[in-house]
Structure formats: structure tokens, C-alpha cells
């Protein structure tokens, strides 16, 4: 009898352990849905559209979401589409985001569905390509919407599917992207508790997930400095004020902002000049020199300090030469910050979906993302999904924005399942 009771207890314990293990298994998508996601991706890849011009893309998304029976809102921030899925059980509302726009890049890959599209960009005819993988983002989120809709009876809470235009930046003179969606009241209307996003990444092998608590991607800000002097003959520099010399000193002196004036133990930063324009002839000292550059940074307080110090350095340096400096800073995307608590909670989900060995802490990325605007409003989690085939060195793969950018479509399954499992696991933990 004692032996029998022990055996029964052991069987019961093993059964409970097995049940718990099964409960931890991630939700998978079937082969049919995976193939749909691949087909959507290829169709979108063949028909890329530039920022704020994603009309066909929006139509494809809208038709799909309406077929699923979701509540659909169109024309958000020009061409954006938002779908709402309501679960049958009470629970939190979370948002999943995919960006839609392509780049003015002429595709040079040899895939059979390569883009032949052309469009106008800054007054010139250009090739158009999904050289950053936004076609994969849209396809994965369309797949997640289909899977989650099919499992609505198990869903606690609501899911907001955000298909966002103009992540690469709105055309000159226009607003767009995440900032405009929020300005139009996206989060006030749907009130998500958290927001999730995925970006495909050539710097990782297929199916790998790169994550990081806190700052992940840099802020990106553009600055312009007009240095005004007084034109004179090059043989008589004392007869005027030389803005070229003043501009050179400004370029040199601003390098001390990061190295000497900002606490770089908090986070790294970069101040770089990309444009220096001035003068028309070798023996004429001009009236004016134009400078333009970028600021990249991973701390919002440091960002504000860099703005202040750049302005002061340029103005005082110019004044020391008798010139004037007029500084304009065009604030772009803030730092993309992953909420630490949300990241820690969702780490097991990522490990179950991709495998623990495939989930790695990502290095800081000096590129920028307008997902950052969402993550300043509610807790956010943004991760990278590797798309460089196994056996190929990601460090040697064509990077995002390259005309040779290539994505292994096997990663689509991982990304789609990650969206789906984030939804279910967040509801369980909150």
C-alpha cells in the first residue's frame, strides 16, 4: 500500500509537471498561415511605396482586416490603418505595430519578386525598394491578426494592430509617422497599456532575437548652422569677416561637447557634420557658410544638454571671430527605450518562441526609430529579428537600406509567432 501511494504521488507529480510544461509551450502558426505571410510579403515587396504614399499597401491591409471582422480605421496619419480585435474575456489592451513605407533605393537583388517600382523623390525619379524590411513587418502583423482572430475565444482583452506609414520620415513640408498618429489621438482613443514592435535585422541570423532593457536605439536630430561674415577679397581678409575660418573653428570646438561637456558615463553620443557649403571662387571670402549635421544620443537629458551646448558653442565661437552663427535644431526621433519591467516580463516569451540560445542582448544601435514616440507614452518593447540565413556571417551581409538587402523568409514564422505570444503572455501576467 505504501509503495502504491508513493507511485501514485509520483505519477501525479509527473503529470502536473508535464501539464505545466505543456502550458508553457508557445502558440504556433500552421504551414498554411506561414505560406500566406510569405505571399503577402512578396506581394508587398513587389509593390513598395514611399512615405505617406502607401495607398496600395493600406488597401491590402484594410481588406485583410475587414475580412477578419475587425473594427478598422483608415486614413490615420494620411495612409495608416488601425485594426481592433476584442477578446471575449476581460483583460488589458495592448498595441502591436508594423511600419509600411519603403525607401528611394533601386533594388539590385536577384530574387524573382524584386521591385521594379519607380516614384518621385525630391523632384527626381527614383527606384523604390523595401530595403529596410517593412514589407516583412506588415506581413507578420497581418499573420498575427489572422491567428489571434482565430483564437478570439481564448483572448483576454483587446489588441490594437497599428500599420504605420512614414517611419523613414515624412516628405519635406509634411507630417507623418508615429508622431502624427499620436497627435491625431491614436493612444487616447484605444488606450493601450503596452506597445510592441519588431524590426528585421541583417546583423542577426535567421530567427535570432536581439533585445535590450532601457535604451536600444539612438535619438536622431538634424542641426543647421548658418555662419555669417562679411564678404571681401581673398587678398585682403582684414577688409571683411571670414565665415570660413569661423565655421572651421565651430566644427572643431563642437567636438568637445561630447568629450568634455556631457556625462558620457550615462550613455554615448555623437555630433557629426555632414555638409559644409560656402564660397564660389578661390579669391573671394564669402558672406556666409552653411553647416549641417546630425546628433545621436541614448539619454534624453544628455540630448537636451547637447542641444544647449551646441547652440552656445557655435554662437560664441563665431562671435570671437567677429562673425555670427544662427543655429537651428530639427528635433527628430527620441531615444528608443525598452521599458525594463516589460522587457523582463516578456523575455521568457521570446525565449520560448525563438529558443533560449537564439535570444541575445543587443548592442546599442546608433540608428533611430520612430517607435520611440509610442514608447514614451506607454511601456514599450522593441526587438530585432535576424534575417540573414544560417551559415552566412551577418557582419558581412548587406545591411538594412542596401540595394542588396536580403531577408530569409524563414524568419517570418518566428516574428508572427512572437507577436501572437506577446499578446497571450502579457494578458496572463497583467
Amino acid at each position: 500500500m505504501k509503495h502504491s501511494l508513493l507511485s501514485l504521488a509520483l505519477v501525479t507529480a509527473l503529470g502536473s509537471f508535464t501539464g505545466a510544461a505543456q502550458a508553457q509551450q508557445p502558440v504556433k502558426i500552421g504551414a498554411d498561415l506561414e505560406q500566406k505571410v510569405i505571399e503577402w510579403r512578396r506581394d508587398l515587396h513587389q509593390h513598395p511605396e514611399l512615405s505617406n504614399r502607401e495607398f496600395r499597401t493600406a488597401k491590402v491591409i484594410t481588406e485583410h482586416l475587414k475580412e477578419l471582422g475587425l473594427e478598422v480605421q483608415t486614413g490615420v496619419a494620411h495612409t495608416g490603418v488601425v485594426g481592433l480585435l476584442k477578446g471575449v474575456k476581460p483583460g488589458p489592451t495592448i498595441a502591436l505595430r508594423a511600419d509600411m513605407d519603403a525607401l528611394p533605393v533601386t533594388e539590385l537583388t536577384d530574387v524573382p519578386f524584386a521591385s521594379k517600382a519607380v516614384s518621385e523623390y525630391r523632384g527626381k525619379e527614383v527606384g523604390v525598394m523595401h530595403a529596410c524590411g517593412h514589407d516583412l513587418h506588415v506581413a507578420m502583423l497581418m499573420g498575427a491578426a489572422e491567428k489571434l482572430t482565430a483564437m478570439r475565444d481564448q483572448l483576454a482583452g483587446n489588441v490594437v494592430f497599428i500599420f504605420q506609414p512614414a517611419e523613414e520620415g515624412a516628405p519635406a513640408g509634411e507630417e507623418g509617422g508615429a508622431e502624427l498618429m499620436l497627435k491625431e489621438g491614436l493612444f487616447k482613443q484605444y488606450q493601450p497599456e503596452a506597445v510592441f514592435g519588431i524590426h528585421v535585422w541583417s546583423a542577426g541570423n535567421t530567427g535570432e532575437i536581439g533585445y535590450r532593457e532601457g535604451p536600444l536605439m539612438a535619438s536622431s536630430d538634424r542641426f543647421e548652422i548658418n555662419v555669417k561674415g562679411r564678404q571681401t577679397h581673398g587678398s585682403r581678409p582684414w577688409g571683411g569677416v571670414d565665415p570660413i575660418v569661423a565655421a572651421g573653428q565651430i566644427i572643431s570646438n563642437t567636438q568637445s561637447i561630447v568629450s568634455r561637456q556631457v556625462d558620457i558615463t550615462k550613455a554615448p553620443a555623437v555630433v557629426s557634420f555632414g555638409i559644409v557649403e560656402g564660397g564660389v571662387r578661390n579669391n573671394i571670402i564669402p558672406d556666409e557658410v552653411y553647416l549641417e549635421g546630425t546628433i545621436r544620443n541614448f539619454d534624453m537629458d544628455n540630448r537636451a544638454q547637447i542641444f544647449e551646448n551646441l547652440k552656445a558653442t557655435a554662437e560664441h565661437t563665431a562671435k570671437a571671430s567677429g562673425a555670427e552663427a544662427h543655429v537651428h535644431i530639427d528635433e527628430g526621433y527620441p531615444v528608443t527605450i525598452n521599458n525594463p519591467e516589460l522587457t523582463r516580463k516578456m523575455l521568457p516569451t521570446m525565449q520560448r518562441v525563438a529558443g533560449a540560445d537564439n535570444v541575445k542582448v543587443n548592442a546599442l544601435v546608433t540608428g533611430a526609430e520612430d517607435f520611440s514616440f509610442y514608447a514614451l507614452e506607454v511601456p514599450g518593447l522593441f526587438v530585432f529579428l535576424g534575417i540573414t540565413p544560417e551559415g552566412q556571417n551577418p557582419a558581412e551581409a548587406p545591411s538594412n537600406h542596401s540595394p542588396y538587402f536580403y531577408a530569409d523568409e524563414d524568419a517570418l514564422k518566428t516574428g508572427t509567432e512572437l507577436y501572437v505570444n506577446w499578446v497571450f503572455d502579457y494578458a496572463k501576467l497583467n
Side-chain angles (χ1 to χ4, degrees):
M1 175 67 96
K2 193 172 183 180
H3 176 72
S4 299
L5 288 173
L6 180 62
S7 299
L8 180 60
L10 181 60
V11 169
T12 302
L14 288 172
S16 300
F17 176 81
T18 303
Q22 288 174 345
Q24 293 298 305
Q25 292 301 308
V27 177
K28 301 283 190 179
I29 65 168
D32 290 346
L33 181 53
E34 181 182 4
Q35 188 57 41
K36 279 187 181 181
V37 173
I38 292 171
E39 289 171 359
W40 288 326
R41 183 264 164 154
R42 293 183 178 184
D43 174 69
L44 295 167
H45 192 87
Q46 283 187 302
H47 300 93
E49 296 169 300
L50 295 176
S51 301
N52 280 357
R53 306 292 184 269
E54 306 93 340
F55 303 111
R56 182 187 182 276
T57 305
K59 185 173 182 291
V60 170
I61 295 166
T62 300
E63 290 176 352
H64 177 62
L65 298 184
K66 285 184 175 180
E67 286 176 1
L68 295 176
L70 304 189
E71 296 179 17
V72 182
Q73 184 179 0
T74 61
V76 185
H78 302 301
T79 56
V81 182
V82 179
L84 176 64
L85 172 62
K86 295 181 178 178
V88 298
K89 303 175 184 178
T93 295
I94 69 168
L96 306 177
R97 177 270 204 165
D99 38 10
M100 303 157 55
D101 53 329
L103 288 160
V105 173
T106 300
E107 183 158 8
L108 297 178
T109 70
D110 59 358
V111 297
F113 49 90
S115 169
K116 307 297 182 187
V118 295
S119 187
E120 184 178 304
Y121 182 73
R122 294 185 176 176
K124 296 181 180 180
E125 185 176 87
V126 296
V128 183
M129 177 190 176
H130 271 297
C132 204
H134 297 184
D135 51 334
L136 284 89
H137 303 168
V138 171
M140 291 188 297
L141 193 54
M142 289 172 66
E146 181 159 329
K147 181 65 174 179
L148 288 165
T149 301
M151 301 179 70
R152 186 198 299 258
D153 60 341
Q154 301 175 46
L155 181 62
N158 306 319
V159 184
V160 182
F161 301 96
I162 302 171
F163 293 89
Q164 178 209 301
E167 188 283 324
E168 299 292 353
E174 298 182 19
E175 293 182 279
E179 188 174 21
L180 182 57
M181 291 189 110
L182 291 170
K183 182 179 177 181
E184 291 181 353
L186 176 68
F187 277 13
K188 289 180 181 177
Q189 178 179 350
Y190 295 101
Q191 299 185 336
E193 291 185 10
V195 61
F196 297 85
I198 299 172
H199 203 302
V200 296
W201 185 235
S202 67
N205 283 122
T206 302
E208 291 181 346
I209 295 173
Y211 79 99
R212 188 182 189 90
E213 290 184 23
L216 171 67
M217 301 184 73
S219 58
S220 174
D221 306 292
R222 184 178 67 89
F223 65 85
E224 300 174 323
I225 305 175
N226 287 286
V227 186
K228 296 186 180 295
R230 190 171 73 251
Q231 186 166 315
T232 187
H233 198 289
S235 67
R236 300 183 70 256
W238 56 87
V241 175
D242 192 337
I244 293 178
V245 171
Q249 292 169 341
I250 289 170
I251 292 170
S252 178
N253 290 348
T254 52
Q255 299 313 303
S256 68
I257 293 173
V258 172
S259 66
R260 292 295 180 270
Q261 300 171 37
V262 173
D263 183 359
I264 58 170
T265 64
K266 293 171 67 177
V270 172
V271 177
S272 294
F273 288 82
I275 298 175
V276 180
E277 292 180 345
V280 295
R281 185 179 168 90
N282 73 300
N283 63 346
I284 300 175
I285 293 173
D287 268 329
E288 186 174 344
V289 172
Y290 172 78
L291 307 174
E292 186 175 325
T294 188
I295 302 166
R296 304 293 170 120
N297 163 72
F298 292 92
D299 180 88
M300 294 295 282
D301 291 336
N302 276 1
R303 183 192 193 208
Q305 185 181 348
I306 291 169
F307 290 171
E308 181 180 336
N309 290 3
L310 177 66
K311 188 173 186 293
T313 299
E315 289 176 350
H316 293 153
T317 300
K319 187 175 182 180
S321 298
E324 297 178 359
H326 301 277
V327 181
H328 170 72
I329 297 175
D330 181 11
E331 294 190 28
Y333 298 166
V335 182
T336 301
I337 301 172
N338 283 331
N339 180 272
E341 182 181 0
L342 179 63
T343 305
R344 287 192 289 269
K345 281 185 176 181
M346 294 294 102
L347 179 57
T349 303
M350 295 186 281
Q351 292 172 332
R352 286 195 295 272
V353 170
D357 292 342
N358 288 323
V359 179
K360 304 172 182 178
V361 176
N362 212 86
L364 290 169
V365 176
T366 49
E369 240 287 347
D370 77 348
F371 182 89
S372 53
F373 288 108
Y374 302 124
L376 290 178
E377 297 291 324
V378 300
L381 176 57
F382 192 75
V383 302
F384 291 109
L385 175 64
I387 44 81
T388 294
E390 286 293 331
Q392 185 176 342
N393 184 355
E396 298 175 357
S399 67
N400 295 55
H401 289 217
S402 164
Y404 294 99
F405 177 76
Y406 174 82
D408 182 356
E409 292 175 333
D410 285 349
L412 289 164
K413 183 175 188 293
T414 302
T416 304
E417 291 177 349
L418 186 55
Y419 276 131
V420 171
N421 284 275
W422 271 334
V423 170
F424 284 108
D425 288 0
Y426 183 88
K428 292 174 187 174
L429 294 171
N430 292 275

Coordinates of all heavy atoms in Angstrom, one line a residue, residues 304-362:
A304 N 19.1 67.0 -24.4 CA 18.8 68.4 -24.2 C 20.0 69.2 -23.9 O 20.1 70.4 -24.4 CB 17.8 68.5 -23.0
Q305 N 21.0 68.6 -23.2 CA 22.2 69.4 -22.9 C 23.0 69.6 -24.1 O 23.6 70.7 -24.3 CB 23.0 68.6 -21.8 CG 24.3 69.4 -21.4 CD 25.1 68.7 -20.4 OE1 24.7 67.7 -19.8 NE2 26.3 69.2 -20.2
I306 N 23.1 68.6 -25.0 CA 23.8 68.7 -26.3 C 23.2 69.8 -27.1 O 23.9 70.6 -27.7 CB 23.9 67.4 -27.0 CG1 24.7 66.4 -26.3 CG2 24.4 67.6 -28.5 CD1 24.6 65.0 -26.8
F307 N 21.9 69.9 -27.2 CA 21.2 71.0 -27.9 C 21.7 72.3 -27.4 O 22.1 73.2 -28.2 CB 19.7 70.9 -27.8 CG 19.1 69.7 -28.5 CD1 17.7 69.4 -28.2 CD2 19.8 68.9 -29.3 CE1 17.1 68.4 -28.9 CE2 19.2 67.8 -30.0 CZ 17.8 67.6 -29.7
E308 N 21.7 72.5 -26.1 CA 22.0 73.8 -25.5 C 23.5 74.1 -25.7 O 23.8 75.3 -26.1 CB 21.7 73.7 -24.0 CG 22.0 75.0 -23.2 CD 21.7 74.8 -21.7 OE1 20.9 74.0 -21.4 OE2 22.3 75.6 -20.9
N309 N 24.4 73.1 -25.6 CA 25.8 73.4 -25.7 C 26.2 73.6 -27.2 O 27.1 74.4 -27.4 CB 26.6 72.2 -25.1 CG 26.5 72.1 -23.6 OD1 25.8 72.9 -23.0 ND2 27.2 71.2 -23.0
L310 N 25.5 73.0 -28.1 CA 25.8 73.2 -29.5 C 25.5 74.6 -29.9 O 26.3 75.3 -30.6 CB 25.0 72.2 -30.4 CG 25.2 72.4 -31.9 CD1 26.6 72.1 -32.3 CD2 24.1 71.5 -32.6
K311 N 24.4 75.1 -29.4 CA 24.0 76.5 -29.8 C 25.0 77.5 -29.1 O 25.4 78.4 -29.8 CB 22.6 76.7 -29.2 CG 22.0 78.1 -29.6 CD 20.5 78.1 -29.2 CE 19.8 79.4 -29.7 NZ 20.4 80.6 -29.1
A312 N 25.3 77.3 -27.9 CA 26.2 78.2 -27.2 C 27.6 78.2 -27.8 O 28.3 79.2 -28.1 CB 26.3 77.9 -25.7
T313 N 28.1 77.0 -28.1 CA 29.5 76.8 -28.7 C 29.5 77.5 -30.1 O 30.5 78.3 -30.4 CB 29.8 75.3 -28.8 OG1 29.9 74.8 -27.6 CG2 31.2 75.2 -29.5
A314 N 28.6 77.3 -30.9 CA 28.6 77.9 -32.3 C 28.5 79.4 -32.2 O 29.2 80.1 -32.9 CB 27.4 77.3 -33.1
E315 N 27.6 79.9 -31.4 CA 27.4 81.3 -31.3 C 28.6 82.1 -30.7 O 29.1 83.1 -31.3 CB 26.2 81.7 -30.4 CG 24.8 81.3 -31.1 CD 23.6 81.5 -30.2 OE1 23.8 81.8 -29.0 OE2 22.5 81.4 -30.7
H316 N 29.2 81.5 -29.7 CA 30.3 82.2 -29.0 C 31.6 82.0 -29.9 O 32.4 83.0 -29.9 CB 30.6 81.6 -27.6 CG 29.5 81.9 -26.7 ND1 29.2 81.1 -25.6 CD2 28.6 82.9 -26.6 CE1 28.1 81.6 -24.9 NE2 27.8 82.7 -25.5
T317 N 31.8 80.9 -30.5 CA 32.9 80.7 -31.4 C 32.9 81.7 -32.6 O 33.9 82.3 -32.9 CB 33.0 79.3 -31.9 OG1 33.1 78.4 -30.8 CG2 34.2 79.1 -32.9
A318 N 31.7 81.8 -33.2 CA 31.6 82.8 -34.3 C 31.8 84.2 -33.8 O 32.5 85.0 -34.5 CB 30.2 82.6 -34.9
K319 N 31.3 84.6 -32.7 CA 31.4 85.9 -32.1 C 32.9 86.3 -31.9 O 33.3 87.4 -32.1 CB 30.6 86.1 -30.8 CG 30.6 87.5 -30.3 CD 29.7 87.6 -29.1 CE 29.6 89.0 -28.6 NZ 28.7 89.1 -27.4
A320 N 33.7 85.3 -31.5 CA 35.1 85.5 -31.2 C 35.9 85.9 -32.5 O 36.9 86.5 -32.4 CB 35.7 84.3 -30.6
S321 N 35.3 85.5 -33.6 CA 35.9 85.9 -34.9 C 35.2 87.1 -35.6 O 35.6 87.4 -36.7 CB 35.8 84.7 -35.9 OG 36.5 83.6 -35.4
G322 N 34.3 87.7 -34.9 CA 33.5 88.8 -35.5 C 32.4 88.4 -36.4 O 31.8 89.2 -37.0
A323 N 32.1 87.1 -36.4 CA 31.0 86.6 -37.2 C 29.8 86.3 -36.4 O 29.8 86.5 -35.1 CB 31.4 85.3 -37.9
E324 N 28.7 85.8 -37.0 CA 27.5 85.4 -36.3 C 27.2 84.0 -36.7 O 27.4 83.6 -37.8 CB 26.3 86.3 -36.7 CG 26.5 87.7 -36.3 CD 25.3 88.6 -36.7 OE1 24.4 88.0 -37.3 OE2 25.2 89.8 -36.4
A325 N 26.6 83.2 -35.7 CA 26.2 81.9 -36.0 C 24.7 81.8 -35.6 O 24.3 82.1 -34.5 CB 27.0 80.8 -35.3
H326 N 23.9 81.3 -36.5 CA 22.5 81.1 -36.3 C 22.2 79.6 -36.3 O 22.4 78.9 -37.4 CB 21.6 81.8 -37.3 CG 21.9 83.3 -37.3 ND1 21.3 84.2 -36.4 CD2 22.7 84.1 -38.1 CE1 21.7 85.4 -36.6 NE2 22.6 85.4 -37.6
V327 N 21.8 79.0 -35.2 CA 21.7 77.6 -35.1 C 20.2 77.2 -35.0 O 19.4 77.8 -34.3 CB 22.3 77.1 -33.7 CG1 22.2 75.6 -33.6 CG2 23.8 77.5 -33.7
H328 N 19.9 76.2 -35.9 CA 18.5 75.6 -35.8 C 18.6 74.1 -35.6 O 19.4 73.4 -36.4 CB 17.8 75.9 -37.1 CG 16.5 75.1 -37.3 ND1 15.4 75.4 -36.5 CD2 16.2 74.0 -38.0 CE1 14.4 74.5 -36.8 NE2 14.9 73.7 -37.7
I329 N 17.9 73.6 -34.7 CA 17.9 72.1 -34.4 C 16.6 71.5 -34.7 O 15.6 72.0 -34.2 CB 18.3 71.8 -32.9 CG1 19.8 72.3 -32.6 CG2 18.2 70.3 -32.7 CD1 20.2 72.2 -31.2
D330 N 16.6 70.6 -35.7 CA 15.3 70.0 -36.1 C 15.2 68.7 -35.3 O 15.9 67.7 -35.6 CB 15.4 69.7 -37.6 CG 14.1 69.0 -38.1 OD1 13.1 68.9 -37.3 OD2 14.1 68.5 -39.2
E331 N 14.4 68.7 -34.2 CA 14.3 67.5 -33.4 C 13.6 66.4 -34.1 O 12.5 66.5 -34.6 CB 13.5 67.8 -32.1 CG 14.2 68.8 -31.2 CD 13.6 69.0 -29.8 OE1 13.0 68.0 -29.4 OE2 13.7 70.1 -29.2
G332 N 14.3 65.2 -34.2 CA 13.8 64.1 -34.9 C 13.2 63.1 -34.0 O 12.4 63.4 -33.1
Y333 N 13.7 61.8 -34.1 CA 13.2 60.8 -33.3 C 13.9 60.7 -31.9 O 15.1 60.8 -31.8 CB 13.4 59.4 -33.9 CG 12.7 59.3 -35.3 CD1 13.0 58.2 -36.1 CD2 11.7 60.2 -35.7 CE1 12.3 58.1 -37.4 CE2 11.0 60.0 -36.9 CZ 11.3 59.0 -37.7 OH 10.7 58.9 -38.9
P334 N 13.1 60.5 -30.8 CA 13.7 60.4 -29.5 C 14.5 59.1 -29.4 O 14.5 58.2 -30.3 CB 12.5 60.5 -28.5 CG 11.4 60.9 -29.4 CD 11.7 60.5 -30.8
V335 N 15.1 58.9 -28.2 CA 15.7 57.6 -27.9 C 14.6 56.5 -27.8 O 13.6 56.7 -27.2 CB 16.5 57.7 -26.6 CG1 17.2 56.3 -26.3 CG2 17.5 58.8 -26.6
T336 N 14.9 55.4 -28.5 CA 14.0 54.2 -28.4 C 14.4 53.5 -27.1 O 15.4 52.9 -26.9 CB 14.1 53.3 -29.6 OG1 13.8 54.0 -30.8 CG2 13.2 52.1 -29.4
I337 N 13.4 53.5 -26.1 CA 13.7 53.0 -24.8 C 12.7 51.8 -24.5 O 11.5 52.0 -24.5 CB 13.5 54.1 -23.7 CG1 14.5 55.2 -24.0 CG2 13.7 53.5 -22.3 CD1 14.2 56.4 -23.1
N338 N 13.3 50.7 -24.2 CA 12.5 49.5 -23.8 C 12.3 49.6 -22.3 O 13.2 49.7 -21.5 CB 13.2 48.2 -24.2 CG 13.1 47.9 -25.6 OD1 12.1 48.2 -26.3 ND2 14.1 47.2 -26.2
N339 N 11.0 49.5 -21.9 CA 10.7 49.5 -20.5 C 11.3 48.3 -19.8 O 11.0 47.2 -20.2 CB 9.1 49.5 -20.4 CG 8.7 49.5 -18.9 OD1 8.6 48.5 -18.3 ND2 8.4 50.7 -18.4
P340 N 12.1 48.5 -18.8 CA 12.9 47.4 -18.2 C 11.9 46.3 -17.6 O 12.2 45.1 -17.8 CB 13.7 48.1 -17.1 CG 13.9 49.5 -17.6 CD 12.6 49.8 -18.3
E341 N 10.9 46.7 -16.9 CA 10.0 45.7 -16.3 C 9.3 44.9 -17.4 O 9.2 43.7 -17.3 CB 9.0 46.4 -15.4 CG 8.0 45.4 -14.7 CD 7.0 46.1 -13.9 OE1 7.0 47.4 -13.8 OE2 6.1 45.4 -13.3
L342 N 8.8 45.6 -18.4 CA 8.1 44.9 -19.5 C 9.0 44.0 -20.2 O 8.7 42.8 -20.6 CB 7.5 45.9 -20.5 CG 6.8 45.4 -21.7 CD1 5.5 44.6 -21.3 CD2 6.4 46.5 -22.7
T343 N 10.3 44.4 -20.4 CA 11.3 43.6 -21.1 C 11.6 42.3 -20.3 O 11.6 41.2 -20.9 CB 12.6 44.4 -21.3 OG1 12.3 45.6 -22.0 CG2 13.6 43.6 -22.1
R344 N 11.7 42.5 -19.0 CA 12.0 41.3 -18.2 C 10.8 40.3 -18.2 O 11.0 39.1 -18.2 CB 12.3 41.7 -16.8 CG 13.7 42.4 -16.7 CD 14.1 42.5 -15.2 NE 13.4 43.6 -14.5 CZ 13.7 44.8 -14.5 NH1 14.9 45.2 -15.0 NH2 13.0 45.7 -13.8
K345 N 9.6 40.9 -18.1 CA 8.4 40.0 -18.1 C 8.3 39.2 -19.4 O 7.8 38.1 -19.4 CB 7.2 40.9 -17.9 CG 6.9 41.3 -16.5 CD 5.6 42.0 -16.4 CE 5.2 42.4 -15.0 NZ 3.9 43.1 -14.9
M346 N 8.6 39.8 -20.5 CA 8.4 39.2 -21.9 C 9.6 38.4 -22.3 O 9.5 37.8 -23.4 CB 8.1 40.3 -22.9 CG 6.7 41.0 -22.7 SD 5.3 39.9 -22.8 CE 4.9 39.6 -21.1
L347 N 10.7 38.5 -21.6 CA 11.9 37.7 -22.0 C 11.6 36.2 -22.1 O 12.0 35.6 -23.1 CB 13.1 38.0 -21.1 CG 14.4 37.2 -21.3 CD1 14.9 37.5 -22.7 CD2 15.4 37.6 -20.3
P348 N 10.9 35.6 -21.1 CA 10.6 34.2 -21.3 C 9.8 33.9 -22.5 O 9.9 32.8 -23.1 CB 9.8 33.8 -20.0 CG 10.3 34.9 -19.0 CD 10.5 36.1 -19.8
T349 N 8.9 34.8 -22.9 CA 8.1 34.6 -24.1 C 9.0 34.5 -25.3 O 8.9 33.6 -26.2 CB 7.1 35.8 -24.3 OG1 6.3 35.8 -23.2 CG2 6.3 35.6 -25.6
M350 N 10.0 35.4 -25.4 CA 10.9 35.4 -26.6 C 11.7 34.2 -26.6 O 12.0 33.6 -27.7 CB 11.8 36.7 -26.5 CG 11.0 38.0 -26.7 SD 12.0 39.5 -26.8 CE 12.4 39.7 -25.0
Q351 N 12.1 33.7 -25.4 CA 13.0 32.5 -25.3 C 12.2 31.3 -25.8 O 12.7 30.4 -26.4 CB 13.5 32.4 -23.9 CG 14.5 33.4 -23.6 CD 14.9 33.4 -22.1 OE1 14.1 33.0 -21.2 NE2 16.1 33.8 -21.8
R352 N 10.9 31.2 -25.4 CA 10.1 30.1 -25.8 C 9.8 30.1 -27.3 O 9.8 29.0 -27.9 CB 8.8 30.1 -25.0 CG 8.9 29.6 -23.6 CD 7.5 29.3 -23.0 NE 6.6 30.4 -22.9 CZ 6.6 31.3 -21.9 NH1 7.4 31.1 -20.8 NH2 5.8 32.3 -21.9
V353 N 9.6 31.2 -27.9 CA 9.3 31.3 -29.3 C 10.5 31.0 -30.1 O 10.4 30.3 -31.1 CB 8.7 32.7 -29.6 CG1 8.6 32.9 -31.2 CG2 7.3 32.9 -29.0
A354 N 11.6 31.6 -29.8 CA 12.8 31.5 -30.7 C 13.8 30.5 -30.2 O 14.7 30.1 -30.9 CB 13.5 32.9 -30.8
G355 N 13.7 30.0 -28.9 CA 14.7 29.2 -28.3 C 15.7 30.0 -27.5 O 16.1 31.1 -28.0
A356 N 16.0 29.6 -26.3 CA 16.8 30.5 -25.4 C 18.1 30.8 -26.0 O 18.6 32.0 -25.8 CB 17.0 29.7 -24.1
D357 N 18.7 29.9 -26.8 CA 20.0 30.2 -27.3 C 20.0 31.3 -28.4 O 21.0 31.8 -28.8 CB 20.7 28.9 -27.9 CG 21.0 27.9 -26.8 OD1 21.2 28.4 -25.6 OD2 21.2 26.7 -27.1
N358 N 18.8 31.5 -29.0 CA 18.6 32.5 -30.1 C 18.2 33.9 -29.6 O 18.0 34.8 -30.4 CB 17.6 32.0 -31.1 CG 18.1 30.8 -31.9 OD1 19.3 30.8 -32.3 ND2 17.3 29.9 -32.2
V359 N 18.1 34.0 -28.3 CA 17.7 35.3 -27.7 C 18.9 36.0 -27.0 O 19.4 35.4 -26.1 CB 16.5 35.2 -26.8 CG1 16.1 36.5 -26.2 CG2 15.3 34.5 -27.5
K360 N 19.3 37.1 -27.5 CA 20.6 37.7 -27.1 C 20.4 39.2 -26.8 O 19.6 39.8 -27.4 CB 21.7 37.5 -28.2 CG 21.8 36.0 -28.5 CD 22.8 35.9 -29.7 CE 22.9 34.4 -30.1 NZ 23.7 34.2 -31.3
V361 N 21.2 39.6 -25.9 CA 21.2 41.1 -25.6 C 21.9 41.8 -26.7 O 23.0 41.5 -27.2 CB 22.0 41.4 -24.3 CG1 22.1 42.9 -24.0 CG2 21.3 40.7 -23.1
N362 N 21.2 42.8 -27.3 CA 21.7 43.5 -28.4 C 22.6 44.7 -28.0 O 22.4 45.3 -27.0 CB 20.5 44.1 -29.2 CG 20.7 44.2 -30.7 OD1 20.5 43.2 -31.4 ND2 21.2 45.3 -31.2

